């Protein structure tokens, strides 16, 4: 009898031990936030002296509303992929930003739209380049990721695929805005050596893009980016946006990144992937990795721009080396919107 009691006592102690062990193994990572979302509306020569208070208020309100779209989805327990897609829809629909409606014009006076999306759970990714009739290029990128075996589709084929997926198409004139048209005329005039007075457009004449990274309650990180590219681009030029690893990258183990800036440099230095790689191989924290890539690697090479990123703990980073970057983030109990570098 005594032996039996001793044995069952031992078994009880062992079971306590192993359950402690198990709960230790399963303890959640030191998460700082349940969810997080960060956005950008492009980096460039965004100067306060060129901005009217009304215009600045419009940008701040648009960024704030975009955050609300995504945060609502995340707070309700929705998926990061939906938060990113819907937030970018909002930014694509706003004529203030160089993506969707409000995209810049190429040399021929047309809008050619690029977008990409990547999910951190399995590195599945989709991208489109050179669209001219799909209202929401980010949805075309998502369709490539989810409904095709490819990663990047371009031009007429990408349009056909998006239409077959039932995505909303519009007449190319939908993307026209007077401000972007005027920017093209200015850039072409400057190319011809015509001296012009300072533009009253607060945006850099060539830069812009929108992006969003989200971490959902299930720990999934998704990054997406959408752009009209650079004003006066020619020869079916693509920048970094549709290139996975350059303008967009996501890995649940490290980080999600969306970039904006002079795309050629972001392609050459695989900027979005480089942030991930520094975190993975050098074990750098997010802020160190993101700051190094933007303020050392890119600055040394002359590549202007910035990026937004979220790591698996919900830490947010938004470094840029240009005068300004439209940006913002939201997490439970926290919200920030900024434009210039001193805020
Ligand atoms: N990265 C974009 C491109 O090169 C433009 C931008 O973000 O400003 O197409």
């Amino acid at each position: 009898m005594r032996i039996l009691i001793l044995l069952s006592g031992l078994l009880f102690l062992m079971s306590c031990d192993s359950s402690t062990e198990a709960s230790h193994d399963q303890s959640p990572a030191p998460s700082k936030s349940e969810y997080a979302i960060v956005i950008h509306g492009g980096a460039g020569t965004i100067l306060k002296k060129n901005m009217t208070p009304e215009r600045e208020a419009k940008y701040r309100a648009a960024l704030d509303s975009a955050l609300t779209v995504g945060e609502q989805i995340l707070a309700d327990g929705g998926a990061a992929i939906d938060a990113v897609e819907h937030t970018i829809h909002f930014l694509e629909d706003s004529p203030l930003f160089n993506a969707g409606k409000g995209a810049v014009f190429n040399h021929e006076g047309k809008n050619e739209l690029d977008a990409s999306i990547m999910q951190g759970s399995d590195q599945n990714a989709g991208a489109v380049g050179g669209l001219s009739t799909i209202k929401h290029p980010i949805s075309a990128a998502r369709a490539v990721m989810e409904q095709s075996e490819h990663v990047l589709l371009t031009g007429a084929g990408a349009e056909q695929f998006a239409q077959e997926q039932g995505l909303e198409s519009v007449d190319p004139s939908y993307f026209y805005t007077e401000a972007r048209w005027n920017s093209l005329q200015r850039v072409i005039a400057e190319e011809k050596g015509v001296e012009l007075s300072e533009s009253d457009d607060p945006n850099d004449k060539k830069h812009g893009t929108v992006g969003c990274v989200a971490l959902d309650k299930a720990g999934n990180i998704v990054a997406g980016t959408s752009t009209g590219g650079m004003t006066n681009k020619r020869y079916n030029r693509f920048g970094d946006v549709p290139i996975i690893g350059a303008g967009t990258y996501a890995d649940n183990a490290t980080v999600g990144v969306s970039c904006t800036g002079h795309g050629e440099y972001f392609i050459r230095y695989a900027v979005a992937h480089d942030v991930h790689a520094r975190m993975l191989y050098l074990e750098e924290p997010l802020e160190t990795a993101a700051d190094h890539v933007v303020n050392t690697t890119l600055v040394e090479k002359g590549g202007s721009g910035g990026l937004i990123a979220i790591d698996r703990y919900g830490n947010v980073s938004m470094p840029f080396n240009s005068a300004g970057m439209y940006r913002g983030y939201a997490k439970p109990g926290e919200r920030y919107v900024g434009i210039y570098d001193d805020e």
Side-chain angles (χ1 to χ4, degrees):
M1 187 61 179
R2 213 182 256 174
I3 292 178
L4 253 179
I5 293 170
L6 269 173
L7 255 176
S8 53
L10 205 68
L11 277 172
F12 174 74
L13 280 175
M14 278 170 69
S15 74
C16 283
D17 234 338
S18 66
S19 70
T20 322
E21 189 68 25
S23 71
H24 179 75
D25 276 355
Q26 287 161 16
S27 67
S31 183
K32 285 188 188 145
S33 22
E34 243 191 323
Y35 65 80
I37 181 165
V38 61
I39 57 173
H40 70 74
T45 318
I46 308 163
L47 297 170
K48 202 171 183 117
K49 70 178 171 77
N50 294 337
M51 191 80 98
T52 62
E54 296 73 42
R55 203 168 160 81
E56 184 178 317
K58 270 192 197 171
Y59 274 101
R60 290 188 192 278
L63 291 166
D64 194 57
S65 301
L67 283 173
T68 301
V69 170
E71 181 168 27
Q72 197 62 57
I73 294 170
L74 297 170
D76 290 348
I81 183 86
D82 294 323
V84 167
E85 184 183 19
H86 286 97
T87 303
I88 292 184
H89 275 189
F90 182 90
L91 295 165
E92 286 176 338
D93 288 345
S94 166
L96 294 173
F97 304 103
N98 173 19
K101 174 92 183 159
V104 298
F105 287 91
N106 68 9
H107 186 72
E108 289 76 35
K110 297 198 167 107
N111 306 104
E112 287 175 320
L113 312 169
D114 310 331
S116 64
I117 198 159
M118 184 168 191
Q119 56 191 27
S121 53
D122 56 3
Q123 281 62 61
N124 203 3
V128 286
L131 299 182
S132 56
T133 65
I134 302 302
K135 189 175 181 190
H136 294 121
I138 194 66
S139 295
R142 181 175 180 176
V144 172
M145 175 172 82
E146 291 177 342
Q147 310 299 336
S148 86
E149 54 191 15
H150 308 297
V151 171
L152 172 59
L153 298 180
T154 65
E159 299 252 313
Q160 184 189 335
F161 173 78
Q163 273 156 17
E164 284 172 11
Q165 293 301 314
L167 297 183
E168 188 175 352
S169 56
V170 289
D171 188 85
S173 62
Y174 163 81
F175 298 108
Y176 173 91
T177 56
E178 201 186 338
R180 299 297 186 193
W181 182 256
N182 292 342
S183 294
L184 175 66
Q185 304 317 314
R186 294 180 66 82
V187 172
I188 289 177
E190 273 166 15
E191 251 184 9
K192 291 183 181 148
V194 180
E195 277 290 319
L196 294 165
S197 60
E198 212 170 282
S199 164
D200 62 355
D201 184 348
N203 290 301
D204 185 291
K205 286 186 283 298
K206 293 187 174 178
H207 277 283
T209 281
V210 306
C212 177
V213 183
L215 166 72
D216 63 25
K217 289 184 179 176
N220 286 314
I221 300 176
V222 172
T225 316
S226 180
T227 191
M230 288 175 86
T231 303
N232 198 31
K233 62 187 183 179
R234 301 175 85 164
Y235 312 118
N236 298 118
R237 173 262 187 198
F238 295 137
D240 56 317
V241 172
I243 311 296
I244 296 300
T248 302
Y249 199 76
D251 188 329
N252 282 1
T254 52
V255 68
V257 182
S258 166
C259 302
T260 170
H262 193 155
E264 280 69 9
Y265 290 86
F266 285 71
I267 296 173
R268 286 180 198 141
Y269 300 102
V271 166
H273 185 270
D274 204 31
V275 176
H276 152 79
R278 295 188 74 89
M279 292 177 70
L280 187 66
Y281 305 137
L282 300 178
E283 296 182 8
E284 286 183 351
L286 170 63
E287 195 58 39
T288 311
D291 181 70
H292 184 93
V293 175
V294 171
N295 288 311
T296 302
T297 311
L298 282 175
V299 167
E300 278 173 1
K301 307 296 178 185
S304 70
L307 60 82
I308 53 168
I310 294 181
D311 71 11
R312 64 191 170 124
Y313 306 119
N315 294 310
V316 168
S317 180
M318 305 179 289
F320 55 97
N321 61 36
S322 46
M325 180 166 85
Y326 298 109
R327 62 198 186 279
Y329 74 83
K331 319 179 186 192
E334 260 184 75
R335 181 168 291 220
Y336 166 89
V337 165
I339 299 177
Y340 314 109
D341 68 352
D342 58 353
E343 56 176 324

